[in-house]
Amino acid sequence: ATTEIYTLSLHDALPISNLLTNAGTAADGSKELNTLLKTAVLERSIPVALYETLIDCAAQETETGVVLDAFAQTGASAQAVLETSVKQGRGLKFIAVQKPEKSRSKGFADVCGIAEKRLRAAAQKLNIDFETHISFIRKSPTKRAFSNK
């Protein structure tokens, strides 16, 4: 019997940029967030389209699933799950956790406050009731979590 061993180095792999060419830039993500919140919040933000692409790649075959983001920052991944779930009629859920981190943006004490406002605006844009579909949990002074129900 012959045993074949396959190895793959980073040099052999397709660059991520080739896989995600239409996912946008940090500037696009900021423009998207600033437009959604109707105020200048950040100069750089991960675009929701990047997360939507990753969700589609990871959960192509499923109608339901849970996306866990342990470093949620301003909630772009949670927004992507909400939008993907509503637009595609899927039962996707998210759990997003963010350690309180002081915000450098005016009007927000911490980045979790940006995430909450972002998700409220996204829910309104999608015509879903924030209070019915999203839970913000502030159980600890060191961590905050939010998820959709």
Side-chain angles (χ1 to χ4, degrees):
T2 303
T3 303
E4 294 183 45
I5 299 174
Y6 297 94
T7 61
L8 179 66
S9 73
L10 291 176
H11 301 290
D12 298 329
L14 265 176
I16 293 292
S17 61
N18 288 358
L19 298 173
L20 303 171
T21 55
N22 297 322
T25 65
D28 296 332
S30 294
K31 183 178 178 184
E32 175 183 82
L33 176 62
N34 296 342
T35 299
L36 182 67
L37 299 185
K38 298 177 182 157
T39 186
V41 180
L42 297 172
E43 291 179 19
R44 298 173 52 91
S45 181
I46 296 172
V48 170
L50 172 64
Y51 287 111
E52 289 174 334
T53 300
L54 294 173
I55 291 165
D56 284 341
C57 288
Q60 288 179 348
E61 311 268 331
T62 64
E63 290 299 313
T64 62
V66 178
V67 174
L68 171 64
D69 187 349
F71 305 97
Q73 292 288 312
T74 63
S77 62
Q79 180 183 348
V81 172
L82 271 180
E83 290 183 3
T84 300
S85 191
V86 169
K87 289 175 186 174
Q88 296 179 6
R90 297 166 69 181
L92 300 173
K93 305 282 185 191
F94 66 83
I95 299 171
V97 180
Q98 177 58 44
K99 181 179 178 184
E101 181 180 323
K102 190 175 179 179
S103 172
R104 289 181 243 141
S105 300
K106 287 184 179 180
F108 298 97
D110 59 22
V111 294
C112 196
I114 298 171
E116 183 173 6
K117 187 169 182 181
R118 170 186 224 144
L119 293 176
R120 285 184 185 279
Q124 182 177 11
K125 182 175 107 178
L126 295 166
N127 294 318
I128 60 174
D129 181 51
F130 180 87
E131 302 302 329
T132 303
H133 294 283
I134 301 170
S135 297
F136 259 78
I137 305 163
R138 293 178 175 92
K139 289 188 173 181
S140 151
T142 57
K143 288 200 176 165
R144 292 185 180 180
F146 43 99
S147 68
N148 56 335
K149 298 177 183 174

